Amino acid sequence: VTTPKLTSDEVCGKISNFQMLFIAAHGDNETIYNENDNEVVSLHTTNYDFANKGFYTVSCNSANKLAPELHRIGLSLFVGYDDEFWVQGDIEPFCECALAGLDSLLMGETVAVAKKKMEDMFDEKIVQLKTINSFAEKLLTHDKIHLCFERDDNLTINDLQ
C-alpha cells in the first residue's frame, strides 16, 4: 500500500496477507500519519490483524506508545524510533541506515543480525559524515541512539505469519 492509498482501512485490510508492514511516514507517540495527516496506524485505528506480524517503521516517536500497544495485541516484531528521526543535508546516509535492518530481515536473517547490520551501517555513515557535515553526523548519531528493535533476537521473517 502506497500513497494515495495509505490509509488505516487499506493497511488493516491487507496486513493479514503479509508477514511484515513497512511504513516511512510522519509519526508521534501514538500515531503514524499519511501525507494528508490522517491516521494510518494508531492507538485508535489498529486492530488485531497485527498479531504475529512484523512492523518496521521510519517514523518519529513510534516506539513510545504505539509499539507497546501493538505488542499488547500480538505484534511479533517492532522496529522504529523512540524520539524524532532526523535527516539533514544529503538524505542518502540516513536512508541507508534506516533501511539496513529491513534489507537484512527480508533476506531471512535474524533480528539480532539485522540490528547489528543496522548499527554497523550507522557507525560507518557517522564516521563518513564526521569530515563532511558535522551537524548531519550529530543527527545521525541521535537517530542511532533512538533506534528500537523490539522482540526475540532469534526471530526471522519466516517466523512471522
Side-chain angles (χ1 to χ4, degrees), residues 4-149:
K5 295 181 180 180
L6 187 61
T7 65
S8 62
D9 289 341
E10 285 289 322
V11 168
C12 291
K14 293 186 177 178
I15 187 68
S16 62
N17 299 322
F18 299 96
Q19 295 164 294
M20 186 179 307
L21 172 65
F22 169 76
I23 294 181
H26 294 289
D28 61 30
N29 289 328
E30 299 179 355
T31 306
I32 296 175
Y33 301 93
N34 66 14
E35 73 282 4
N36 297 317
D37 289 328
N38 297 319
E39 294 181 350
V40 177
V41 179
S42 79
L43 300 180
H44 311 108
T45 62
T46 306
N47 61 37
Y48 290 89
D49 290 332
F50 283 85
N52 302 309
K53 305 290 181 188
F55 187 24
Y56 193 109
T57 182
V58 182
S59 301
C60 297
N61 298 297
S62 55
N64 291 324
K65 292 183 181 176
L66 183 58
E69 173 61 11
L70 293 172
H71 286 309
R72 186 190 69 76
I73 61 175
L75 186 75
S76 293
L77 170 66
F78 178 85
V79 179
Y81 296 86
D82 65 5
D83 201 354
E84 303 296 318
F85 180 83
W86 293 101
V87 177
Q88 196 272 335
D90 179 12
I91 67 166
E92 188 172 331
F94 293 87
C95 292
E96 288 178 27
C97 292
L99 298 177
L102 180 63
D103 290 342
S104 181
L105 290 169
L106 293 176
M107 290 176 18
E109 296 174 325
T110 66
V111 167
V113 170
K115 183 178 180 183
K116 175 79 168 104
K117 285 187 175 182
M118 198 169 184
E119 290 170 341
D120 290 348
M121 178 67 75
F122 269 107
D123 291 342
E124 176 186 326
K125 298 301 176 182
I126 288 166
V127 168
Q128 289 175 2
L129 284 173
K130 194 172 210 159
T131 60
I132 300 168
N133 183 335
S134 63
F135 185 62
E137 173 224 347
K138 287 175 182 33
L139 293 178
L140 195 60
T141 300
H142 172 273
D143 292 345
K144 179 187 177 192
I145 291 167
H146 293 283
L147 171 66
C148 297
F149 258 83

